[in-house]
Amino acid sequence: MINSILEAICVSLETEFGGAYQIHREEKKQELTEPCFWVLCLTPASRLFLNKRYFRKNPFCIHYFPGGSGKREECHAVAERLFSCLEWLDVGGDPVMGTKMEYEIVDGILHFFVNYDLFVCRVSEPIPLLEEVSSKTQLKHGEGMPLCPENTRKYEERTGERTVGKSKTQGAPDTGESGLLFSKEQLVSSERFRERKDILEALLDESETYTIKTAEEKMENYMKGKVK
């Protein structure tokens, strides 16, 4: 950005004063052919303004070395023209206004100060999106949460398989046809009652077990205002 502004200043000076004036950037040569300009950037600064917007302070100084005998008069005349030609710059196709313009004459040399302050926005590289991964799980009957003692007996009677010494587990079923008993925790955490778990939390007792049908009847009565 600094180099772009320096280039725009030099273009504006050349347009205003023509090719009879040499224009030097940044480095001051030992031997200068007067009259000439020496353009340099002083102490740029940047501060965060909002989110990714930054305020850039860009102060510049244009030195003018007069070539005639009446140096102060020549410096005043050049300064008047600088006020006009440096008021607006074309920086990369965008107009930038010069502010805080002032000058002084020291030892017969014009020091013209101008700021080209502006806001810039830092563009972040887009973060690549994670690929979508889907998975499907399914609980088999007899797998999931530990069986209650009552359920263990019913399971053995129905399947003929003993669960003593085995790690048989089961989650709350999706249907109420089995007549198995479940704890409050199992029912509340089941997918079947996911949308109504708050009602179950209020109605069921931690120390009791319930069938699916019993739990649904309690909720139905509650919704009808007949909870006893």
Side-chain angles (χ1 to χ4, degrees):
M1 180 60 67
I2 298 298
N3 290 334
S4 298
I5 297 176
L6 279 170
E7 182 65 28
I9 293 175
C10 293
V11 170
S12 182
L13 292 176
E14 186 175 359
T15 302
E16 176 68 24
F17 293 94
Y21 295 78
Q22 292 186 359
I23 302 173
H24 305 281
R25 293 172 51 176
E26 294 295 349
E27 295 183 3
K28 181 180 179 182
K29 296 182 179 180
Q30 294 296 330
E31 296 182 1
L32 299 174
T33 302
E34 301 172 347
C36 65
F37 292 97
W38 175 36
V39 184
L40 72 157
C41 183
L42 299 178
T43 53
S46 176
R47 66 177 176 84
L48 179 63
F49 180 74
L50 180 66
N51 293 333
K52 296 180 180 181
R53 296 186 66 193
Y54 292 81
F55 179 73
R56 293 284 178 85
K57 180 181 178 183
N58 303 309
F60 291 85
C61 180
I62 295 90
H63 294 77
Y64 174 71
F65 298 86
S69 57
K71 293 187 176 182
R72 292 190 65 87
E73 291 78 4
E74 186 177 348
C75 286
H76 286 302
V78 169
E80 289 297 327
R81 297 173 68 180
L82 292 178
F83 278 121
S84 177
C85 72
L86 297 180
E87 183 177 7
W88 287 96
L89 296 181
D90 183 355
V91 181
D94 296 323
V96 179
M97 183 179 182
T99 60
K100 300 180 181 179
M101 291 185 179
E102 59 182 6
Y103 74 92
E104 60 181 1
I105 301 173
V106 180
D107 296 331
I109 300 174
L110 172 66
H111 298 258
F112 189 91
F113 302 96
V114 58
N115 277 36
Y116 292 101
D117 303 332
L118 43 79
F119 289 95
V120 297
C121 183
R122 178 176 296 176
V123 180
S124 302
E125 294 184 1
I127 301 175
L129 298 177
L130 296 177
E131 295 183 359
E132 183 177 351
V133 178
S134 60
S135 62
K136 182 178 180 180
T137 58
Q138 182 178 0
L139 288 177
K140 295 182 180 180
H141 191 71
E143 298 181 355
M145 300 183 64
L147 285 168
C148 298
E150 294 88 347
N151 290 350
T152 302
R153 177 178 55 80
K154 291 179 179 290
Y155 181 81
E156 291 176 352
E157 291 176 353
R158 181 163 55 85
T159 63
E161 180 181 356
R162 295 187 58 80
T163 59
V164 177
K166 297 183 180 180
S167 179
K168 286 291 180 178
T169 58
Q170 174 178 307
D174 290 335
T175 64
E177 299 176 356
S178 63
L180 298 180
L181 295 173
F182 299 92
S183 65
K184 174 182 177 180
E185 181 182 359
Q186 287 177 304
L187 293 171
V188 169
S189 61
S190 67
E191 181 66 20
R192 180 185 183 90
F193 298 114
R194 180 169 60 87
E195 300 295 335
R196 297 174 290 175
K197 65 180 182 179
D198 292 338
I199 301 177
L200 286 180
E201 286 280 4
L203 296 179
L204 303 185
D205 192 330
E206 294 283 355
S207 60
E208 299 291 335
T209 55
Y210 306 86
T211 63
I212 298 296
K213 183 177 180 180
T214 302
E216 290 182 336
E217 288 177 351
K218 281 184 172 291
M219 285 190 293
E220 184 179 354
N221 292 336
Y222 173 78
M223 298 302 293
K224 293 179 179 180
K226 296 182 179 182
V227 177
K228 297 182 179 181

